Amino acid sequence: MMKQTILLPGGAGFIGSHIAAELLTLGRDVVIADDLSNARADVIDRLERITGRRPVFYQIDVADHAALDRVFASHPVDAVIHLAGYKAVGESVLKPVAYYRNNLDSTLTLLEVMADYGVKKLVFSSSATVYGPANPIPYTEQMPTGGCTSPYGWTKHMIEQILADACVADPALSTVCLRYFNPVGAHESGLIGELPNGIPNNLMPYIAQTAAGIRSELTVFGDDYPTPDGTGVRDYIHVVDLAKGHVAAIDYAAAHTGWEAINLGTGRGTSVLELVHTFVSVNGVSVPYRIGPRRSGDLPAYYADAEKARRLLGWQAEKSAADMCRDAWRWQQNAREL
Ligand code: WQD
């Protein structure tokens, strides 16, 4: 494999840092451009501790054309993994203009600068939320997308469309939209992981903070769904499996052109209570919980058909729910000291 330089806009965050760890370990050069709106600068030091190699880091707004141009002018970027964007579903409902401005502008600026420097390979951090509420499960990539239930979801759907149109205009362009299901867990080192701002919206960090005594109890958002135990079912995927999926997608993009959408999930559904019970049993902790009302906007159940990733990328998730819970707990204990 030729020496490769991969640019990670938004690469200092939860998903990006795990992708950076995989790429650095494989000997690829990594450049992170991040505004640190949802990340901490010391993740760079921790990436060096994990891999023995240090990514180059620029604290910039990816939508800032001049700043991003300086990054491309300074490094022979071979490919880009685009992770720069706001990602809180609930917040996007309260601040739609900020989400459209930030998520779309960063993408449009990135595509402009990539074109200026002849960079033709892009992997995009998309989301299963583009499938909307109407599709049957498991979701497959040829199903219709749209009908998104939040401005956050709409930004992902719109960016997929932008990339598809860019590929029609430039047949040499290669873009792979990775539709994440529910990324959870942390690197086994316990040195990188999810750092939710304030009260966690997502289940796994809330479970971990409850086990740590930071939260008094978990509220299970409804147990009257048409699911095996009545609680919501999702496709939780270990963030390290997700990161490895991005490496496979970069290698796929290097060998192909055109637009692709690929699910990154395990293909398995896990309920809220199943995850809670797994977390308790593998970690030997207690997670007090109460059953509360459903959260508006939640779907009863969704999970991936993971066949296309196996076929096209030669990738499939390998880690279990127990691995996810074990690694999430280790990170929760370490993060308090970091
Ligand atoms: C999972 C399940 C809740 C918290 C969202 C985004 C998705 C992606 C991942 C960005 C549901 C239940 C949760 C709690 C609970 N984000 N729950 N108590 O909503 O499936 O997906 O995060 O890419 O795009 O939509 O994840 O972790 O919030 O919820 O009972 O305190 O846990 O009802 O069934 P979700 P989640």
Side-chain angles (χ1 to χ4, degrees):
M1 164 69 66
M2 291 266 293
K3 195 81 172 161
Q4 256 201 339
T5 298
I6 312 291
L7 173 64
L8 302 184
F14 171 43
I15 309 292
S17 57
H18 286 81
I19 295 169
E22 292 300 318
L23 291 169
L24 289 165
T25 302
L26 289 168
R28 320 261 179 112
D29 289 335
V30 172
V31 179
I32 292 176
D34 199 301
D35 65 3
L36 297 183
S37 61
N38 194 23
R40 291 182 349 192
D42 64 354
V43 71
I44 303 302
D45 299 327
R46 288 185 267 118
L47 281 169
E48 186 172 19
R49 278 177 61 188
I50 292 170
T51 67
R53 301 183 66 232
R54 191 175 182 83
V56 178
F57 173 58
Y58 294 89
Q59 183 174 354
I60 62 163
D61 175 355
V62 172
D64 177 340
H65 197 287
L68 191 61
D69 183 84
R70 284 192 293 274
V71 175
F72 277 79
S74 309
H75 302 275
V77 176
D78 294 291
V80 179
I81 301 180
H82 178 25
L83 304 137
Y86 298 155
K87 56 148 284 186
V89 174
E91 185 186 53
S92 77
V93 175
L94 303 174
K95 302 177 180 173
V97 173
Y99 269 66
Y100 288 117
R101 170 64 73 195
N102 182 68
N103 293 8
L104 300 185
D105 273 11
S106 58
T107 302
L108 295 170
T109 299
L110 176 61
L111 288 170
E112 287 172 339
V113 179
M114 282 177 65
D116 292 344
Y117 286 85
V119 178
K120 302 282 186 182
K121 308 297 179 184
L122 175 69
V123 171
F124 169 56
S125 164
S126 191
S127 170
T129 196
V130 303
Y131 288 109
N135 283 303
I137 51 176
Y139 293 154
T140 60
E141 291 87 347
Q142 80 275 3
M143 285 178 176
T145 56
C148 303
T149 53
S150 71
Y152 159 78
W154 278 115
T155 66
K156 295 299 188 182
H157 180 64
M158 291 173 184
I159 292 167
E160 288 197 1
Q161 184 61 52
I162 291 167
L163 297 179
D165 292 340
C167 286
V168 169
D170 178 2
L173 198 55
S174 175
T175 65
V176 179
C177 300
L178 297 178
R179 293 172 177 168
Y180 302 174
F181 282 72
N182 288 57
V184 295
H187 191 268
E188 61 185 9
S189 65
L191 291 174
I192 53 176
E194 197 169 3
L195 283 169
N197 293 322
I199 301 173
N201 299 307
N202 297 136
L203 179 61
M204 183 66 97
Y206 206 108
I207 290 174
Q209 289 192 8
T210 304
I214 298 169
R215 307 292 160 198
S216 56
E217 68 176 0
L218 168 74
T219 301
V220 175
F221 295 147
D223 67 347
D224 58 351
Y225 284 108
T227 60
D229 64 14
T231 64
V233 169
R234 295 291 184 274
D235 185 334
Y236 298 98
I237 175 171
H238 197 293
V239 65
V240 171
D241 278 331
L242 190 88
K244 292 178 189 291
H246 286 74
V247 176
I250 275 285
D251 293 342
Y252 176 86
H256 296 82
T257 59
W259 184 93
E260 275 301 349
I262 302 176
N263 290 337
L264 287 191
T266 66
R268 287 190 311 275
T270 300
S271 77
V272 175
L273 287 181
E274 282 172 333
L275 199 66
V276 171
H277 296 327
T278 303
F279 194 98
V280 167
S281 61
V282 298
N283 294 314
V285 295
S286 77
V287 176
Y289 67 85
R290 58 181 281 274
I291 304 296
R294 294 181 176 188
R295 178 172 66 177
S296 69
D298 274 354
L299 298 178
Y302 61 86
Y303 49 90
D305 177 310
E307 182 48 38
K308 186 173 181 181
R310 266 195 293 271
R311 178 165 45 82
L312 245 55
L313 304 182
W315 169 92
Q316 64 182 16
E318 294 168 354
K319 291 179 180 286
S320 65
D323 296 325
M324 299 173 207
C325 291
R326 192 176 299 113
D327 294 339
W329 179 232
R330 183 186 304 108
W331 165 248
Q332 178 61 49
Q333 292 172 296
N334 286 4
R336 301 175 77 169
E337 277 75 61
L338 289 176

